[in-house]
Amino acid sequence: MDLVKASAVAPVALQHLRKTVIKDSYPNLYKMLQLALTLPIGSATSERSFSAMRRIRNWLRSTMGGTRFSSLAVLHIEDDITSQLSPEGIVDIYAE
């Protein structure tokens, strides 16, 4: 990190780190930066899933079975896909 600080003019930017920290020269520092940059992205999905579970499984629905809860959680978490579904189309499929 002293090398990066010495070669940086202003606050360290991502572009500067990419040029300075090369995988072959600094393998441990490269791996640490790679983990630090991907950790927030990796944890956002699980945090979103847990907050969805809290909304679905409140005290009113505490007797819900595991299969139904899992199905409702998937529908809630993937709301960008389920918002494209039309209730009339689903009713028509079941009516057939």
Side-chain angles (χ1 to χ4, degrees), residues 7-46:
S7 61
V9 226
V12 179
L14 182 60
Q15 290 82 9
H16 180 71
L17 284 174
R18 285 185 179 173
K19 291 178 194 173
T20 308
V21 180
I22 303 167
K23 186 176 184 176
D24 297 332
S25 301
Y26 307 103
N28 292 335
L29 186 58
Y30 181 82
K31 189 67 171 175
M32 182 188 74
L33 287 172
Q34 187 178 21
L35 288 171
L37 292 173
T38 56
L39 185 63
I41 295 170
S43 64
T45 304
S46 60

Side-chain angles (χ1 to χ4, degrees), residues 30-76:
Y30 181 82
K31 189 67 171 175
M32 182 188 74
L33 287 172
Q34 187 178 21
L35 288 171
L37 292 173
T38 56
L39 185 63
I41 295 170
S43 64
T45 304
S46 60
E47 289 175 12
R48 190 172 38 237
S49 299
F50 279 111
S51 64
M53 286 190 326
R54 252 195 330 268
R55 283 191 298 272
I56 294 170
R57 191 167 208 136
N58 56 17
W59 65 275
L60 293 173
R61 299 182 185 172
S62 61
T63 59
M64 183 185 321
T67 306
R68 183 172 183 219
F69 175 70
S70 176
S71 299
L72 282 174
V74 169
L75 287 173
H76 183 70

